[in-house]
Amino acid sequence: MRLWQAVATLAVGAAVAGAQPQRGIPCTGSGVGAATSRVSLEAVAAAMADSTRTVNVCMRPARGTLVGSFHLVIEYDSTAVRALRFSPGGSGSEVANLTHAGRADVAGAAPSGFARGVLLQLDFARADGRRTGDPLGTMIVRLLELNGTDGANLV
């Protein structure tokens, strides 16, 4: 089995204290019309006073591809942040195991295919109690399995 890995550093610029988070259209980065399917992480902007921080897991299927199932692992520094909760996306069925410090295991299936965009969201809090306007650090997403609705291996 091949293992696909992407590394993403989640950081935002300096925010003004008390400012409202900037809410853009999530998961709109590169990859539209790409030849291969992509999964990436995207931090949602946070105000300095926020106590939690949301990270979108983005799905960008290849042109003409319907992703029917996936299994991925997100690794992070548990001395810096801790995973609080998981919010499934709008399509398919997803499950997450957040019980292991420094690791979030997530899997899902959608017989008619997952929609392009936000696959799921994970909420994090800083382990040191500081507000989350500061960068979250490096997170690694390991895509263990990605299959088309036709059963094709997309990894």
Side-chain angles (χ1 to χ4, degrees):
M1 169 193 337
R2 293 181 301 169
L3 179 66
W4 181 85
Q5 176 180 334
V7 178
T9 300
L10 301 176
V12 294
V16 178
Q20 292 298 315
Q22 297 297 316
R23 305 283 185 206
I25 299 172
C27 300
T28 56
S30 64
V32 175
T36 59
S37 298
R38 300 177 190 275
V39 175
S40 63
L41 302 178
E42 181 179 284
V44 175
M48 289 300 280
D50 288 349
S51 61
T52 62
R53 186 74 180 277
T54 300
V55 173
N56 291 326
V57 177
C58 303
M59 169 69 70
R60 294 179 182 94
R63 189 177 38 251
T65 301
L66 291 174
V67 174
S69 64
F70 71 92
H71 179 198
L72 60 88
V73 172
I74 300 169
E75 296 171 336
Y76 56 91
D77 181 358
S78 63
T79 63
V81 295
R82 58 188 168 90
L84 298 175
R85 66 189 145 267
F86 152 80
S87 301
S91 60
S93 296
E94 301 164 356
V95 295
N97 181 349
L98 307 179
T99 59
H100 300 359
R103 181 181 171 115
D105 291 278
V106 187
S112 59
F114 284 102
R116 172 181 298 276
V118 178
L119 184 60
L120 59 107
Q121 293 182 319
L122 293 169
D123 291 334
F124 291 89
R126 293 192 58 89
D128 61 9
R130 293 182 6 216
R131 297 298 180 188
T132 59
D134 296 325
L136 292 174
T138 300
M139 294 185 172
I140 298 170
V141 59
R142 297 183 193 279
L143 187 56
L144 304 177
E145 180 182 324
L146 189 68
N147 298 302
T149 54
D150 60 357
N153 181 357
L154 302 175
V155 176

